[in-house]
Amino acid sequence: MIFEVWAPRATTVEIDLGSGRRALGPARPGWWAVEAPEAGHGTDYTYWVDGEGPFPDPRSLRQPEGIFGPSRVYDHGRFTWEDHDWKGRDLRGSVIYELHIGTFTPEGTFAAAAGKLAHLVELCVDFVEIMPVAPVPGSRNWGYDGVDLYAVNETYGGPDGLKTFVDACHRAGLGVLLDVVYNHLGPSGNFLHPFGPYLTGTQGSYWGEAVNLDGPDSDEVRRYFIDNAVQWLRDYHLDGLRLDAVHALHDRRATHFLTELAGEVDALACHLGRPLTLIAESDLNDPFMVDPAGHGMTAQWNDDLHHAIHAAVTGESHGYYADFARPEALVKALTSGFVHDGGYSSFRARSHGRPFTGPAYRLVGSAQNHDQIGNRPRGDRMTPAQLRVAAGLLLTSPFTPMLFMGEEWGASTPFLFFTDHVEPALREGEGERRRREFVGFGYDWDAPEPGDLETFERSKLDWTELKEEHHRSLLCWYRDLIALRKALPELTDPRLGLARAELGEGGKWLRITRGRIGVWVDLCQDSITPPLPDGAVVLLDDSDVSAGPEGDPRSGPSVVVYRLVG
């Protein structure tokens, strides 16, 4: 086989296949290559650049010994796929379920996660979105400290484990989205510097150096990340990618990296004959992100909707929730998409955003996600009583809903921030770095130490909770809401101009009208008789949902979905 590596500023590049180092020769501009007929699937190797090393391959497909070990040749063609009838899944009308492989099950593997797919099928979600799976320091991490971006975390099951999981999802009718991080690399095990100018050397965000997307030699850097995206979609049969914090991508070129990526992915979708989805996490509140004449992303996360729902059902108003504390913010979020669409943001102390004008399915909304739970010091979730209201708002909205693992049954387990850095300086300073990151958020930062094993273990879902009545009743509420959403075209209609909302009794309750379908929501969590209009026929309410083991003192429903007849 032929080994190739990009190292445009090196004078010598060598490879070690286990029997001593041999030189690579210049190939196409900036690239080095050597033929090694004896190498093949399963061969371990490392690179040496200008006499320094050993280093893993920047495009390593497998790191069996972790981020500090050698690369291993991996042949994608050796895996036998069984999803031959899979035609893909369109984001429109879909519900996403976000999960972290390491904490979704006690085992924390792809195989164990595949064993829970029947639960997701019964819940009737359409996509599974898995948090990043690139190799990370140690054995536990959220995934955003990833390096060796072409490889798959061996702790989870490695490349074959991911393929087996995707194959199982497709056979179960579920699409799979993967969270990828292109705005920075992790602080440990990043060996890109010796090979070339992948990074700018300047602080691009709080999390690390900026990726070189527009400087000298950036053509190949962009190609590195675009080829990575193509690999996941083509070789792992994934149905889309969630792009982490794209506002931290620094690119001043005429054609932005995201625009170029969208074009490549669209071409791949045409070749594969199935839809491929790109979802951007962006805090810019700029519809240019999803405009086909703009960056061309399929959708973007809408934190405004999360903040508005969270503030309405929890009453929290610290930090960025201050801009969403009034019920009017919830009305605007549900009918306009963005709350900050050019007006003043007190958290940022400036104006922010532009009006959203596209179809609502291009905004992914949530009541909970890994960020909004895990970035709380104690990783605490909403209570079951709060979740039934939040679910009523989210799952009847015109946006693309996303649930976070365990939300559907009101999981009591937290989702904490955890790491497993091997360098003492990184391990010992992680808690303090985390505290500094959230200065100004209004939290009294009393968080468990990220590097403690207990922090990780506490974050694993407890599936035995489903045996308890109050958890099962909330799960039934989520199932009923999703089923109703799929049954009523009004609830998936993405035309924001057709949505109407009104507040009643000084903000105690909210009524949303979508065509002939209405949704009434009690925002004060008090016993209120729903003021339904004449001719309303109730389709679904949460009267039978238990708020918790202590029971629910309410005497009436907090969410009612009804149809206007006559």
Side-chain angles (χ1 to χ4, degrees):
M1 66 175 293
I2 296 176
F3 290 87
E4 292 185 302
V5 67
W6 182 64
R9 301 174 186 178
T11 55
T12 63
V13 178
E14 299 168 292
I15 190 170
D16 188 344
L17 294 166
S19 57
R21 286 144 64 176
R22 71 180 75 175
L24 280 73
R28 62 188 190 275
W31 285 78
W32 302 73
V34 66
E35 187 172 3
E38 74 277 19
H41 181 81
T43 299
D44 288 351
Y45 67 102
T46 56
Y47 282 119
W48 293 72
V49 181
D50 290 333
E52 296 183 2
F55 303 123
D57 186 347
R59 293 180 177 234
S60 171
L61 298 184
R62 193 166 180 203
Q63 291 294 125
E65 298 177 22
I67 62 176
F68 297 107
S71 299
R72 179 169 293 175
V73 176
Y74 176 81
D75 182 0
H76 282 293
R78 294 172 67 95
F79 185 85
T80 302
W81 288 92
E82 298 181 8
D83 64 347
H84 311 295
D85 296 330
W86 179 251
K87 303 301 182 184
R89 187 170 288 283
D90 198 307
L91 186 68
R92 291 173 291 188
S94 292
V95 178
I96 303 172
Y97 187 95
E98 185 190 23
L99 62 87
H100 176 268
I101 292 293
T103 55
F104 184 56
T105 64
E107 300 86 351
T109 64
F110 292 122
K116 298 295 186 184
L117 294 184
H119 170 84
L120 301 183
V121 170
E122 192 173 354
L123 182 60
C124 214
V125 298
D126 303 283
F127 283 98
V128 174
E129 178 177 313
I130 55 179
M131 290 171 63
V133 299
V136 294
S139 62
R140 53 190 183 273
N141 195 288
W142 275 16
Y144 300 95
D145 289 323
V147 294
D148 303 315
L149 299 188
Y150 283 70
V152 179
N153 194 326
E154 293 287 326
T155 303
Y156 297 158
D160 280 358
L162 175 57
K163 289 180 177 180
T164 301
F165 176 75
V166 173
D167 207 34
C169 285
H170 286 172
R171 286 184 277 113
L174 298 168
V176 186
L177 307 172
L178 175 65
D179 197 341
V180 294
V181 185
Y182 294 155
N183 58 69
H184 76 289
L185 279 86
S188 179
N190 174 14
F191 297 112
L192 290 181
H193 275 297
F195 290 91
Y198 286 91
L199 305 169
T200 64
T202 60
Q203 193 77 7
S205 68
Y206 184 87
W207 314 293
E209 290 181 64
V211 173
N212 176 24
L213 297 176
D214 56 7
D217 291 314
S218 59
D219 286 354
E220 288 292 353
V221 177
R222 293 163 78 99
R223 196 71 252 165
Y224 175 82
F225 290 103
I226 289 173
D227 287 350
N228 180 261
V230 168
Q231 172 201 244
W232 297 122
L233 301 170
R234 180 193 61 214
D235 300 328
Y236 286 90
H237 292 203
L238 288 161
D239 300 284
L241 304 172
R242 182 263 191 186
L243 307 170
D244 178 64
V246 299
H247 48 271
L249 296 171
H250 299 269
D251 185 8
R252 295 166 294 179
R253 285 197 180 193
T255 301
H256 193 278
F257 170 78
L258 293 176
T259 308
E260 185 177 351
L261 175 62
E264 294 262 357
V265 169
D266 187 57
L268 180 62
C270 291
H271 172 67
L272 298 177
R274 58 184 174 90
L276 298 174
T277 295
L278 291 175
I279 300 175
E281 182 204 9
S282 171
D283 75 348
L284 300 177
N285 280 24
D286 188 353
F288 189 79
M289 190 67 63
V290 297
D291 190 331
H295 288 324
M297 299 290 101
T298 313
Q300 64 178 302
W301 272 25
N302 181 13
D303 278 347
D304 279 16
L305 180 63
H306 168 274
H307 298 345
I309 291 175
H310 184 93
V313 302
T314 68
E316 292 185 3
S317 59
H318 63 274
Y320 46 64
Y321 293 128
D323 290 339
F324 302 87
R326 292 171 56 83
E328 288 79 6
L330 180 60
V331 170
K332 187 171 183 180
L334 291 170
T335 57
S336 300
F338 294 152
V339 175
H340 291 309
D341 56 6
Y344 186 76
S345 165
S346 65
F347 180 72
R348 298 175 178 86
R350 60 171 173 79
S351 57
H352 183 69
R354 289 198 298 154
F356 183 80
T357 55
Y361 75 84
R362 292 192 182 276
L363 295 180
V364 175
S366 62
Q368 297 193 130
N369 59 54
H370 78 270
D371 269 337
Q372 302 301 335
I373 300 173
N375 287 338
R376 298 169 69 85
R378 310 304 298 181
D380 51 307
R381 300 165 178 259
M382 288 183 186
T383 67
Q386 293 167 340
L387 280 171
R388 72 191 202 187
V389 178
L393 290 166
L394 176 67
L395 292 170
T396 62
S397 77
F399 311 102
T400 297
M402 185 180 76
L403 312 179
F404 184 66
M405 60 178 196
E407 169 186 339
E408 70 276 19
W409 76 74
S412 65
T413 49
F415 186 71
L416 296 158
F417 180 74
F418 48 82
T419 57
D420 187 25
H421 288 299
V422 295
E423 294 96 334
L426 287 173
R427 175 183 289 273
E428 294 164 9
E430 186 73 287
E432 175 59 21
R433 285 191 298 274
R434 187 74 172 163
R435 185 194 65 78
R436 290 200 306 268
E437 183 178 355
F438 291 95
V439 169
F441 277 59
Y443 291 125
D444 179 14
W445 199 262
D446 177 24
E449 188 60 38
D452 289 348
L453 177 60
E454 182 186 8
T455 305
F456 169 66
E457 294 291 345
R458 288 177 55 201
S459 299
K460 289 178 177 282
L461 288 180
D462 179 5
W463 287 85
T464 66
E465 290 184 330
L466 285 172
K467 298 176 182 178
E468 301 174 29
E469 175 56 32
H470 68 282
H471 288 298
R472 289 197 60 81
S473 63
L474 183 62
L475 175 61
C476 289
W477 173 237
Y478 270 80
R479 288 173 178 167
D480 289 346
L481 280 169
I482 295 174
L484 193 66
R485 179 180 182 85
K486 293 180 179 296
L488 301 176
E490 292 91 342
L491 295 185
T492 51
D493 192 325
R495 293 173 290 182
L496 283 172
L498 300 182
R500 300 285 183 270
E502 62 173 313
L503 292 167
E505 296 187 39
K508 288 187 176 182
W509 54 262
L510 170 71
R511 178 162 42 223
I512 307 136
T513 305
R514 312 270 305 283
R516 300 190 69 80
I517 300 298
V519 182
W520 177 89
V521 181
D522 175 10
L523 297 179
C524 69
Q525 298 186 33
D526 200 358
S527 296
I528 299 176
T529 301
L532 302 184
D534 293 339
V537 175
V538 174
L539 303 175
L540 184 67
D541 67 55
D542 66 334
S543 298
D544 295 329
V545 181
S546 171
E550 74 284 354
D552 188 349
R554 295 177 53 87
S555 59
S558 55
V559 179
V560 179
V561 184
Y562 59 89
R563 184 195 301 275
L564 294 172
V565 297

Short mmCIF file of all heavy atoms in Angstrom, two decimals, residues 8 24 29 31 44 49 63 70-71 119 148 167 194 201 206 228 251 265 303 321 356 364 368 370 379 395 444 462 545:
data_model
loop_
_atom_site.label_atom_id
_atom_site.label_comp_id
_atom_site.label_asym_id
_atom_site.label_seq_id
_atom_site.Cartn_x
_atom_site.Cartn_y
_atom_site.Cartn_z
N PRO A 8 4.13 20.32 4.33
CA PRO A 8 4.67 21.24 3.32
C PRO A 8 5.97 21.93 3.71
O PRO A 8 6.69 22.42 2.83
CB PRO A 8 3.53 22.24 3.14
CG PRO A 8 2.81 22.24 4.45
CD PRO A 8 2.86 20.82 4.91
N LEU A 24 10.14 8.86 3.29
CA LEU A 24 9.14 9.15 2.27
C LEU A 24 9.74 10.15 1.29
O LEU A 24 10.59 10.97 1.67
CB LEU A 24 7.87 9.75 2.88
CG LEU A 24 6.87 8.80 3.54
CD1 LEU A 24 7.40 8.27 4.86
CD2 LEU A 24 5.51 9.48 3.75
N PRO A 29 2.67 18.62 -4.63
CA PRO A 29 3.18 19.73 -3.81
C PRO A 29 2.74 19.65 -2.35
O PRO A 29 1.55 19.58 -2.05
CB PRO A 29 2.59 20.97 -4.51
CG PRO A 29 2.48 20.56 -5.93
CD PRO A 29 2.10 19.11 -5.89
N TRP A 31 3.15 17.24 -0.29
CA TRP A 31 2.85 15.88 0.16
C TRP A 31 4.07 14.98 0.02
O TRP A 31 4.90 15.17 -0.86
CB TRP A 31 1.69 15.29 -0.64
CG TRP A 31 0.36 15.85 -0.24
CD1 TRP A 31 -0.16 17.06 -0.59
CD2 TRP A 31 -0.61 15.22 0.60
NE1 TRP A 31 -1.39 17.23 -0.02
CE2 TRP A 31 -1.70 16.12 0.71
CE3 TRP A 31 -0.67 14.00 1.26
CZ2 TRP A 31 -2.83 15.82 1.46
CZ3 TRP A 31 -1.80 13.69 2.00
CH2 TRP A 31 -2.86 14.60 2.11
N ASP A 44 0.50 -1.43 12.17
CA ASP A 44 0.74 -0.24 12.99
C ASP A 44 1.89 0.57 12.39
O ASP A 44 2.85 0.00 11.85
CB ASP A 44 1.10 -0.64 14.42
CG ASP A 44 -0.09 -1.17 15.20
OD1 ASP A 44 -1.23 -1.07 14.69
OD2 ASP A 44 0.10 -1.69 16.31
N VAL A 49 9.00 13.51 11.62
CA VAL A 49 9.11 14.71 10.80
C VAL A 49 10.36 15.48 11.23
O VAL A 49 10.49 15.87 12.39
CB VAL A 49 7.87 15.61 10.95
CG1 VAL A 49 8.00 16.85 10.05
CG2 VAL A 49 6.60 14.85 10.59
N GLN A 63 -6.73 4.39 16.21
CA GLN A 63 -5.74 4.59 17.27
C GLN A 63 -6.00 3.58 18.38
O GLN A 63 -6.56 3.91 19.42
CB GLN A 63 -5.82 6.02 17.81
CG GLN A 63 -5.36 7.09 16.86
CD GLN A 63 -3.88 7.04 16.55
OE1 GLN A 63 -3.51 6.98 15.38
NE2 GLN A 63 -3.04 7.04 17.57
N PRO A 70 0.55 4.42 18.33
CA PRO A 70 0.71 4.43 16.87
C PRO A 70 -0.63 4.38 16.15
O PRO A 70 -1.66 4.01 16.73
CB PRO A 70 1.51 3.14 16.61
CG PRO A 70 1.11 2.23 17.74
CD PRO A 70 0.92 3.12 18.94
N SER A 71 -0.60 4.78 14.89
CA SER A 71 -1.77 4.62 14.04
C SER A 71 -1.83 3.18 13.55
O SER A 71 -0.83 2.46 13.55
CB SER A 71 -1.69 5.58 12.85
OG SER A 71 -1.65 6.92 13.28
N HIS A 119 -36.18 1.17 22.45
CA HIS A 119 -36.75 2.27 23.24
C HIS A 119 -36.94 3.52 22.38
O HIS A 119 -37.98 4.19 22.47
CB HIS A 119 -35.82 2.57 24.43
CG HIS A 119 -36.17 3.81 25.18
ND1 HIS A 119 -37.11 3.84 26.19
CD2 HIS A 119 -35.69 5.09 25.09
CE1 HIS A 119 -37.21 5.06 26.68
NE2 HIS A 119 -36.36 5.84 26.03
N ASP A 148 -6.91 13.39 16.37
CA ASP A 148 -7.00 12.25 15.44
C ASP A 148 -8.42 12.16 14.88
O ASP A 148 -9.12 11.15 15.03
CB ASP A 148 -6.63 10.94 16.13
CG ASP A 148 -5.24 10.98 16.75
OD1 ASP A 148 -4.31 11.46 16.07
OD2 ASP A 148 -5.09 10.56 17.91
N ASP A 167 -25.41 0.81 11.36
CA ASP A 167 -26.12 -0.24 10.63
C ASP A 167 -27.39 -0.64 11.38
O ASP A 167 -28.48 -0.79 10.79
CB ASP A 167 -25.19 -1.44 10.47
CG ASP A 167 -25.52 -2.29 9.26
OD1 ASP A 167 -25.96 -1.73 8.24
OD2 ASP A 167 -25.34 -3.52 9.34
N PRO A 194 3.70 19.55 14.08
CA PRO A 194 4.92 19.19 13.35
C PRO A 194 4.71 18.98 11.85
O PRO A 194 5.66 19.11 11.06
CB PRO A 194 5.36 17.88 14.02
CG PRO A 194 4.71 17.90 15.36
CD PRO A 194 3.40 18.60 15.16
N GLY A 201 -1.90 29.46 15.54
CA GLY A 201 -1.03 29.91 16.61
C GLY A 201 -1.63 31.01 17.45
O GLY A 201 -1.03 31.47 18.42
N TYR A 206 -12.27 30.32 23.43
CA TYR A 206 -11.88 29.95 24.79
C TYR A 206 -11.22 28.58 24.82
O TYR A 206 -10.39 28.29 25.68
CB TYR A 206 -13.11 29.96 25.71
CG TYR A 206 -12.76 29.69 27.16
CD1 TYR A 206 -12.39 30.73 28.01
CD2 TYR A 206 -12.78 28.40 27.67
CE1 TYR A 206 -12.06 30.49 29.34
CE2 TYR A 206 -12.45 28.14 28.99
CZ TYR A 206 -12.08 29.19 29.82
OH TYR A 206 -11.74 28.95 31.12
N ASN A 228 -12.70 14.97 6.07
CA ASN A 228 -13.15 14.32 7.28
C ASN A 228 -14.67 14.21 7.30
O ASN A 228 -15.23 13.14 7.61
CB ASN A 228 -12.65 15.09 8.50
CG ASN A 228 -13.10 14.48 9.81
OD1 ASN A 228 -14.06 14.92 10.43
ND2 ASN A 228 -12.42 13.42 10.22
N ASP A 251 -12.71 32.62 9.30
CA ASP A 251 -12.49 32.47 7.86
C ASP A 251 -12.89 33.77 7.16
O ASP A 251 -14.06 34.13 7.14
CB ASP A 251 -13.31 31.30 7.33
CG ASP A 251 -13.04 31.02 5.87
OD1 ASP A 251 -12.12 31.63 5.30
OD2 ASP A 251 -13.74 30.17 5.28
N VAL A 265 -20.95 18.42 0.43
CA VAL A 265 -21.90 17.46 0.99
C VAL A 265 -23.10 17.30 0.08
O VAL A 265 -23.64 16.20 -0.09
CB VAL A 265 -22.32 17.89 2.41
CG1 VAL A 265 -23.49 17.06 2.93
CG2 VAL A 265 -21.13 17.76 3.36
N ASP A 303 -30.72 28.49 20.24
CA ASP A 303 -30.66 28.60 21.70
C ASP A 303 -31.74 29.52 22.24
O ASP A 303 -32.17 29.36 23.40
CB ASP A 303 -29.28 29.12 22.14
CG ASP A 303 -28.24 28.01 22.19
OD1 ASP A 303 -28.63 26.83 22.12
OD2 ASP A 303 -27.04 28.31 22.29
N TYR A 321 -30.41 34.11 30.76
CA TYR A 321 -31.86 33.94 30.90
C TYR A 321 -32.56 35.26 31.20
O TYR A 321 -33.79 35.34 31.07
CB TYR A 321 -32.18 32.92 31.99
CG TYR A 321 -31.76 31.51 31.66
CD1 TYR A 321 -30.99 30.76 32.54
CD2 TYR A 321 -32.13 30.91 30.45
CE1 TYR A 321 -30.61 29.47 32.24
CE2 TYR A 321 -31.74 29.63 30.14
CZ TYR A 321 -30.98 28.90 31.03
OH TYR A 321 -30.59 27.63 30.73
N PHE A 356 -35.42 36.02 11.52
CA PHE A 356 -35.41 34.74 10.81
C PHE A 356 -36.58 34.72 9.84
O PHE A 356 -37.72 34.99 10.21
CB PHE A 356 -35.52 33.58 11.79
CG PHE A 356 -35.45 32.23 11.13
CD1 PHE A 356 -34.22 31.71 10.76
CD2 PHE A 356 -36.60 31.51 10.85
CE1 PHE A 356 -34.14 30.48 10.13
CE2 PHE A 356 -36.53 30.28 10.23
CZ PHE A 356 -35.30 29.76 9.86
N VAL A 364 -33.35 24.07 14.96
CA VAL A 364 -33.44 22.94 15.87
C VAL A 364 -33.61 23.48 17.28
O VAL A 364 -32.76 24.22 17.78
CB VAL A 364 -32.19 22.05 15.78
CG1 VAL A 364 -32.24 20.94 16.83
CG2 VAL A 364 -32.06 21.46 14.37
N GLN A 368 -33.90 20.75 26.57
CA GLN A 368 -32.67 20.33 27.23
C GLN A 368 -31.71 19.84 26.16
O GLN A 368 -32.14 19.30 25.14
CB GLN A 368 -32.93 19.22 28.25
CG GLN A 368 -33.82 19.62 29.40
CD GLN A 368 -33.82 18.61 30.55
OE1 GLN A 368 -33.65 18.97 31.69
NE2 GLN A 368 -34.02 17.35 30.24
N HIS A 370 -27.08 18.73 25.79
CA HIS A 370 -25.88 18.47 26.57
C HIS A 370 -25.27 19.75 27.12
O HIS A 370 -24.78 19.79 28.24
CB HIS A 370 -24.85 17.70 25.74
CG HIS A 370 -24.09 18.54 24.77
ND1 HIS A 370 -24.51 18.77 23.47
CD2 HIS A 370 -22.93 19.24 24.90
CE1 HIS A 370 -23.65 19.55 22.85
NE2 HIS A 370 -22.68 19.85 23.69
N GLY A 379 -24.95 20.00 36.85
CA GLY A 379 -25.46 19.16 35.78
C GLY A 379 -26.90 18.76 35.95
O GLY A 379 -27.34 17.71 35.45
N LEU A 395 -42.74 20.12 21.51
CA LEU A 395 -43.18 19.12 20.55
C LEU A 395 -44.43 19.53 19.78
O LEU A 395 -44.85 18.82 18.87
CB LEU A 395 -43.39 17.79 21.26
CG LEU A 395 -42.08 17.14 21.76
CD1 LEU A 395 -42.36 15.96 22.66
CD2 LEU A 395 -41.21 16.72 20.58
N ASP A 444 -23.26 30.24 41.08
CA ASP A 444 -22.32 30.01 42.17
C ASP A 444 -21.63 28.70 41.81
O ASP A 444 -22.19 27.62 41.98
CB ASP A 444 -23.07 29.89 43.50
CG ASP A 444 -22.12 29.62 44.66
OD1 ASP A 444 -20.91 29.78 44.49
OD2 ASP A 444 -22.61 29.24 45.74
N ASP A 462 -29.79 5.99 34.47
CA ASP A 462 -30.26 4.87 35.27
C ASP A 462 -31.54 4.34 34.62
O ASP A 462 -32.64 4.86 34.84
CB ASP A 462 -30.52 5.33 36.71
CG ASP A 462 -31.05 4.21 37.60
OD1 ASP A 462 -31.13 3.05 37.12
OD2 ASP A 462 -31.41 4.49 38.75
N VAL A 545 -50.42 12.50 33.79
CA VAL A 545 -48.98 12.46 33.99
C VAL A 545 -48.65 12.79 35.43
O VAL A 545 -48.99 13.86 35.94
CB VAL A 545 -48.25 13.44 33.05
CG1 VAL A 545 -46.74 13.35 33.26
CG2 VAL A 545 -48.59 13.14 31.60
#
